[in-house]
Amino acid sequence: MRAVRNTEHGIQVLEVPEPEGDGPIVYVRAGSICGSDLHMVNFGPIEFTLGHEVAGVLEDGTRVAVDPASGCGTCDQCARGATHLCRNGFEHLLGVGAHGGFASAVAVPGHKLVTLPESLRIEDACLVEPIGVAVHSVRLSGMGGGERVAVVGAGSIGLAAVAAARPLADEVGITARHDHQIAAGERLGAHAATGEYDVVFEAAGTESALSTAAELCRPNGTIVFLSTHWEPVAIPSLAAMMKELGFQWSYCTSAHEGGHDLDDSAALLAADPEIANTLITHRFPLDDAAEAFRVAADRASGAIKVVLEP
Ligand SMILES: [Zn+2]
Ligand SMILES: [Zn+2]
């Protein structure tokens, strides 16, 4: 079968053995490129097939999305359902420490599968994971409903935060670098941020984004980190202290008392097709993976989410 790997010659589609193992095999229909995929590629060749935002069908035809972070299943964090905080590293993380889903098929033994709601198109269901990450962060933010929410940064993860916060928030403000990002935010119900906000999602991962977040946050408000800080980022400590800001970190998705972030995400995507229509800007066949990665990395391309379709 075919699979996308980052080799010493860059992104290539290789002929590789079919996945084996006892667990379910997902025949992939759609996989979206994440900012972290673009970042990992810069580290050089990776022995695993890329792709952790994946939807497809099982042997029996069941339509599913995949939780890429199964965890080891034996540590204390996995035992309490927090597989995303597994003590045993990346070994079970699809597309990072195990073969991912930019391929004809992927083995997912032990991974949570999300059965797709009837009305969610499988071509769009690769967004269950990235939207789920935003749903997780909204849950951790402590929002109860009616808050003024701002999102700093309007790449795919910032726009995912808009989509996830919008149903609860009184209003959602957004800051963005590019016009097409503001337009996408507006399609999802946000507007250019102005004034003060109860909860601010930092979705850009830069020092300037963090200081903007601190400015936009009201006294005793909360900043939620949804971006990945690949390098340490200086915190605007004085401003944060003088407003007694709360900081909440957010990572991946998890089970919670009422279910799982990924099921909530699938329901949200099914209820509002405009989310996928807005976020997915490009689709490529798997064989054009190198071009898909190039477009996804090119900020001027207008790309938000780029999807590979095996
Ligand atoms: Zn991702
Ligand atoms: Zn574990």
Side-chain angles (χ1 to χ4, degrees):
M1 67 166 194
R2 293 163 307 138
V4 178
R5 302 224 177 126
N6 190 42
T7 71
E8 55 193 18
H9 307 293
I11 294 291
Q12 287 194 310
V13 182
L14 304 177
E15 196 59 38
V16 303
E18 297 282 334
E20 316 180 329
D22 296 335
I25 307 285
V26 173
Y27 297 91
V28 180
R29 294 289 177 78
S32 42
I33 298 175
C34 179
S36 67
D37 293 326
L38 299 173
H39 204 91
M40 273 194 323
V41 161
N42 291 333
F43 295 148
I46 304 163
E47 60 179 305
F48 300 108
T49 300
L50 297 167
H52 60 270
E53 303 176 358
V54 180
V57 291
L58 301 178
E59 192 83 65
D60 67 3
T62 307
R63 304 169 337 119
V64 296
V66 176
D67 180 357
S70 75
C72 69
T74 55
C75 76
D76 61 337
Q77 297 305 306
C78 287
R80 69 180 186 100
T83 56
H84 63 312
L85 304 180
C86 175
R87 305 245 185 215
N88 292 311
F90 297 133
E91 199 181 314
H92 301 270
L93 193 52
L94 300 183
V96 179
H99 289 309
F102 294 159
S104 312
V106 57
V108 293
H111 291 256
K112 176 184 162 54
L113 295 174
V114 179
T115 304
L116 302 183
E118 193 85 17
S119 63
L120 177 54
R121 293 175 355 129
I122 198 162
E123 306 94 293
D124 297 338
C126 48
L127 296 186
V128 167
E129 199 274 343
I131 295 290
V133 169
V135 165
H136 182 73
S137 75
V138 166
R139 195 162 57 73
L140 294 186
S141 76
M143 283 176 67
E147 287 87 354
R148 277 172 57 83
V149 168
V151 178
V152 178
S156 62
I157 200 65
L159 292 168
V162 171
R166 190 72 199 85
L168 270 180
D170 187 42
E171 63 166 288
V172 181
I174 194 163
T175 72
R177 261 196 202 148
H178 302 284
D179 288 346
H180 75 273
Q181 295 176 327
I182 286 279
E186 285 172 350
R187 275 178 77 179
L188 297 174
H191 54 76
T194 169
E196 257 188 0
Y197 293 87
D198 303 305
V199 179
V200 181
F201 291 87
E202 192 281 288
T206 62
E207 215 162 293
S208 72
L210 186 45
S211 75
T212 301
E215 274 165 36
L216 289 172
C217 208
R218 69 158 164 78
N220 285 144
T222 302
I223 294 178
V224 181
F225 293 104
L226 192 47
S227 63
T228 302
H229 293 171
W230 294 92
E231 300 289 338
V233 169
I235 287 175
S237 328
L238 195 61
M241 180 191 75
M242 294 185 72
K243 288 185 177 180
E244 290 188 340
L245 298 183
F247 288 149
Q248 174 66 54
W249 299 87
S250 182
Y251 177 58
C252 297
T253 67
S254 73
H256 56 80
E257 271 177 27
H260 198 288
D261 297 317
L262 291 173
D263 292 301
D264 301 341
S265 167
L268 178 64
L269 283 160
D272 186 359
E274 192 63 6
I275 298 172
N277 291 342
T278 303
L279 260 63
I280 297 177
T281 52
H282 296 73
R283 293 181 186 274
F284 291 92
L286 192 72
D287 286 337
D288 294 345
E291 175 65 3
F293 268 77
R294 192 196 64 73
V295 168
D298 176 8
R299 305 261 178 219
S301 70
I304 299 173
K305 268 293 180 198
V306 176
V307 172
L308 286 169
E309 298 186 331

